[in-house]
């Protein structure tokens, strides 16, 4: 027997199996040996897909729900990306089930009570450490294991569409896992881990009782009494930020009035563009509440809204990139949360969505909206600022469409949606003076100090006229409409 002819390799003629003039057989997907010996039945495949589909939905929910009240900025951004990945793949797995089976597909039915408790425990984790450890130390690794096993176990030719979805999902889940391992390492020391041992062993027992996430392993028995999810999880709508953020009610510097002032040159406007971008941390914080509190929509709604949520997180990080590129310490700047706080606590999910839509529609006019911001960026002759505004504008086009697809029909038309959003927004403004009188903020004018830092970066002398900029949001809201007194 020759070396390239292992014992289990089927032959054509006398030698090992070959394609025409040595072309790879089976389009190179797998060897003939693998093809003749590997495979799951359709029922087995569907059963694993249903569990993957369910788990991705559960994970999506956790990532989204915990963005608002979990304070760490970097994790808010990571949860935004990871929820987006989950939302995208949920639909691909659902589609595959519908290809192989007649209704009912079982997509809305829990495949395993132990698996449900497993995810509910992580959803209800009371602090950052168990949340991060549960997500990235247990849930994501279990998902990766399930995908890897699926890829190994199913027949790549017979079940090719599933194999392909698993493979593409795995690429992104490996990224999630890599980030997650770094997050666990950065945030959780051995002592904390040891302190969480009772809980993490419950997570292990739950996975054991489920036969692992994919149900492919022998089921084990053990105490499955819930710890954190003994009380049902309640979404927390109040945004929180980590200790680098301060003066969260500060609305002392009106960035829009500065940007729209034709007498102010473009370069100093860079700072306001970056400020506006980074302040967008509040959009994922707010969209998290819409997604968490809106039930019963088709998955496409959650997918589209989660995509937008991730885009808004990207916008915040674009601002961060801008500040870092100039050596400006963004922690000096109050990145207020009054918008996400007000919307989340005072409005219904539908009203919040309408406010978002109204604001985004307001960004479409050429002279005042996203195109204008992009023109300012062009005029600064800074490539980074240009790229940031270019993609920010492009994303807004998609967001306007998401609103048209999902909100406008529900509110009876474009005009109605805009009026509804405008009205709702006016309800959450107007506390400017109340916050100052209540001692929550002095609306400190942070502009001169940051402008001086920026001038140092540019190697220019600050312009005294610009240093004196002192327009607040007291009477003018960000879309430049007057706030009724
Ligand atoms: Fe945005
Ligand atoms: Fe947007």
């Amino acid at each position: 027997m020759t070396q390239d002819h292992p014992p289990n390799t089927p032959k054509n003629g006398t030698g090992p199996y070959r394609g025409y003039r040595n072309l790879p057989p089976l389009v190179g997907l797998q060897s003939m040996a693998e093809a003749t010996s590997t495979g799951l039945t359709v029922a087995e495949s569907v059963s694993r897909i249903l569990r993957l589909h369910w788990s991705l939905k559960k994970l999506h929910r956790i990532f989204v729900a915990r963005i608002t009240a979990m304070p760490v900025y970097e994790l808010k951004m990571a949860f935004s990306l990871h929820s987006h990945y989950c939302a995208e793949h949920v639909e691909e797995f659902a589609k595959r089930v519908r290809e192989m089976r007649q209704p009912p597909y079982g997509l809305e039915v829990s495949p395993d009570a132990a698996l449900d408790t497993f995810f509910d425990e992580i959803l209800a984790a009371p602090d950052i450490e168990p949340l991060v450890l549960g997500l990235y130390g247990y849930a994501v690794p279990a998902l990766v294991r399930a995908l890897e096993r699926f890829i190994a176990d199913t027949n790549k030719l017979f079940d090719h569409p599933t194999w392909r979805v698993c493979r593409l999902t795995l690429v992104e889940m490996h990224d999630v896992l890599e980030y997650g391992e770094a997050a666990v390492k950065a945030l959780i020391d051995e002592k904390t881990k040891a302190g969480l041992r009772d809980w993490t062993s419950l997570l292990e027992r739950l996975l054991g009782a489920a036969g692992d996430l994919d149900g492919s392993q022998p089921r084990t028995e053990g105490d499955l009494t819930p710890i954190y999810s003994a009380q049902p999880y309640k979404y927390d709508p109040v945004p929180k930020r980590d200790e680098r953020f301060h003066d969260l009610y500060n609305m002392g510097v009106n960035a829009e009035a500065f940007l729209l002032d034709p007498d102010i040159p473009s370069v100093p406007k860079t700072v306001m563009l970056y400020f506006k971008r980074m302040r967008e941390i509040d959009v994922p914080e707010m969209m998290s509440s819409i997604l968490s509190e809106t039930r019963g929509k088709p998955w496409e709604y959650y997918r589209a809204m989660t995509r937008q949520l991730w885009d808004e997180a990207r916008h915040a990080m674009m601002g961060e990139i801008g500040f870092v590129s100039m050596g400006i310490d963004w922690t000096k700047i109050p990145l207020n949360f009054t918008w996400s706080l007000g919307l989340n606590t005072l409005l219904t999910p539908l009203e919040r969505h309408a406010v978002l839509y109204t604001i985004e529609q307001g960004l479409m006019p050429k002279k005042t909206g996203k195109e204008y911001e992009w023109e300012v960026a062009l005029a600064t002759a800074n490539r980074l600022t240009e790229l940031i505004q270019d993609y920010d504008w492009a994303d807004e086009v998609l967001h306007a469409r998401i609103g048209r697809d999902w909100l406008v029909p529900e509110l009876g038309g474009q005009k109605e949606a805009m009026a509804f959003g405008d009205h709702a927004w006016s309800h959450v403004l107007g506390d400017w003076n109340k916050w100052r009188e209540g001692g929550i903020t002095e609306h400190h004018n942070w502009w001169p100090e940051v402008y001086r830092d920026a001038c140092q970066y540019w190697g220019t002398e600050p312009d005294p006229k610009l240093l004196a900029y002192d327009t607040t949001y007291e009477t003018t809201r960000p879309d430049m409409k007057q706030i009724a007194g």
Side-chain angles (χ1 to χ4, degrees):
M1 206 157 287
T2 56
Q3 263 212 315
D4 61 344
H5 183 204
N8 63 346
T9 304
K11 302 183 232 178
N12 51 351
T14 50
Y17 189 82
R18 300 278 189 220
Y20 177 69
R21 289 169 67 184
N22 251 346
L23 279 170
L26 305 176
V27 296
L29 271 177
Q30 58 186 351
S31 71
M32 193 55 80
E34 211 184 331
T36 53
S37 61
T38 315
L40 300 171
T41 65
V42 169
E44 287 164 345
S45 177
V46 166
S47 152
R48 290 204 200 181
I49 296 172
L50 286 172
R51 294 172 76 102
L52 278 166
H53 171 263
W54 190 259
S55 301
L56 282 164
K57 264 184 159 175
K58 289 273 182 187
L59 257 180
H60 169 264
R61 184 174 172 214
I62 302 171
F63 281 130
V64 166
R66 300 301 300 263
I67 288 171
T68 308
M70 187 284 309
V72 181
Y73 163 67
E74 282 79 1
L75 290 179
K76 285 177 195 272
M77 301 294 105
F79 287 6
S80 301
L81 172 62
H82 299 167
S83 63
H84 163 60
Y85 283 161
C86 291
E88 295 292 319
H89 297 303
V90 161
E91 190 45 42
E92 292 155 11
F93 282 109
K95 182 171 157 258
R96 183 63 183 140
V97 173
R98 291 193 291 263
E99 286 172 3
M100 291 197 283
R101 284 287 182 251
Q102 301 291 337
Y105 303 114
L107 290 162
E108 304 302 326
V109 183
S110 166
D112 198 311
L115 214 50
D116 279 356
T117 310
F118 173 78
F119 287 112
D120 288 348
E121 281 291 309
I122 301 172
L123 176 67
D127 302 300
I128 296 170
E129 290 80 6
L131 177 65
V132 165
L133 192 58
L135 278 170
Y136 297 121
Y138 289 88
V140 175
L143 189 67
V144 166
R145 277 199 303 278
L147 289 164
E148 284 173 343
R149 255 195 310 255
F150 213 143
I151 287 167
D153 293 349
T154 204
N155 189 296
K156 294 185 180 65
L157 187 74
F158 305 160
D159 196 12
H160 183 262
T162 311
W163 176 77
R164 180 171 174 270
V165 172
C166 286
R167 203 157 147 255
L168 298 179
T169 307
L170 187 60
V171 170
E172 292 183 339
M173 288 306 148
H174 270 152
D175 291 350
V176 176
L177 185 59
E178 198 184 321
Y179 178 88
E181 284 171 351
V184 169
K185 206 168 147 214
L187 299 176
I188 305 160
D189 56 24
E190 287 309 315
K191 203 174 145 221
T192 312
K193 234 182 232 174
L196 290 167
R197 195 64 207 126
D198 282 351
W199 183 62
T200 51
S201 52
L202 169 64
L203 293 183
E204 283 162 11
R205 288 196 300 277
L206 286 162
L207 281 178
D212 212 358
L213 186 143
D214 60 4
S216 69
Q217 303 302 301
R219 285 170 165 71
T220 55
E221 281 181 21
D223 180 8
L224 305 181
T225 313
I227 298 177
Y228 298 147
S229 66
Q231 296 293 322
Y233 166 77
K234 212 174 155 292
Y235 171 74
D236 183 352
V238 178
K240 290 188 189 64
R241 303 271 175 88
D242 66 63
E243 59 270 23
R244 293 167 300 171
F245 295 81
H246 67 281
D247 201 1
L248 293 171
Y249 290 82
N250 183 317
M251 297 194 67
V253 178
N254 191 318
E256 288 77 10
F258 189 95
L259 278 169
L260 289 167
D261 188 335
D263 296 330
I264 297 178
S266 299
V267 170
K269 288 179 176 172
T270 308
V271 174
M272 293 305 194
L273 287 174
Y274 292 167
F275 168 66
K276 281 191 66 182
R277 294 290 72 76
M278 196 164 179
R279 193 179 55 185
E280 290 194 57
I281 305 161
D282 61 0
V283 193
E285 284 171 348
M286 190 284 283
M287 293 195 77
S288 152
S289 76
I290 301 181
L291 281 159
S292 298
E293 295 179 346
T294 305
R295 295 267 149 250
K297 296 271 191 192
W299 187 256
E300 181 51 28
Y301 167 86
Y302 299 101
R303 193 197 66 75
M305 293 289 279
T306 309
R307 163 60 200 274
Q308 177 171 349
L309 181 152
W310 162 233
D311 291 348
E312 308 297 3
R314 283 165 52 234
H315 298 166
M317 287 186 281
M318 287 175 185
E320 179 191 7
I321 292 167
F323 282 131
V324 173
S325 78
M326 295 175 68
I328 290 181
D329 176 5
W330 57 261
T331 65
K332 283 183 184 173
I333 305 169
L335 295 156
N336 73 73
F337 73 166
T338 51
W339 187 76
S340 49
L341 177 70
L343 266 67
N344 284 7
T345 55
L346 299 171
L347 302 182
T348 65
L350 189 66
E351 284 171 331
R352 285 171 223 151
H353 194 184
V355 171
L356 183 65
Y357 182 66
T358 302
I359 292 173
E360 294 193 315
Q361 284 298 302
L363 302 175
M364 289 301 119
K366 264 180 162 324
K367 290 216 161 27
T368 53
K370 286 290 152 192
E371 186 169 355
Y372 172 77
E373 286 189 351
W374 173 73
E375 280 167 0
V376 171
L378 272 189
T380 66
N382 180 305
R383 171 106 174 146
L384 179 64
T385 319
E386 178 195 337
L387 289 177
I388 286 173
Q389 290 310 132
D390 208 4
Y391 281 92
D392 180 57
W393 178 19
D395 290 337
E396 268 342 299
V397 176
L398 171 68
H399 299 171
R401 194 168 76 215
I402 293 171
R404 279 199 303 276
D405 288 349
W406 291 105
L407 182 78
V408 170
E410 193 166 348
L411 292 174
Q414 163 77 4
K415 253 210 223 136
E416 289 79 358
M418 291 288 284
F420 187 74
D422 195 68
H423 182 74
W425 196 13
S426 64
H427 274 290
V428 295
L429 293 163
D431 283 340
W432 199 93
N433 271 308
K434 206 176 81 190
W435 294 327
R436 189 165 61 178
E437 284 151 18
I440 297 178
T441 180
E442 291 172 0
H443 295 299
H444 166 71
N445 183 0
W446 51 265
W447 163 255
E449 190 189 347
V450 177
Y451 174 51
R452 274 197 199 93
D453 289 350
C455 288
Q456 208 163 29
Y457 167 74
W458 291 315
T460 55
E461 276 302 306
D463 175 345
K465 264 204 322 244
L466 295 186
L467 268 179
Y469 183 75
D470 196 16
T471 306
T472 73
Y473 289 107
E474 182 178 6
T475 54
T476 314
R477 66 186 205 188
D479 63 352
M480 301 303 288
K481 284 195 184 169
Q482 291 299 302
I483 297 169

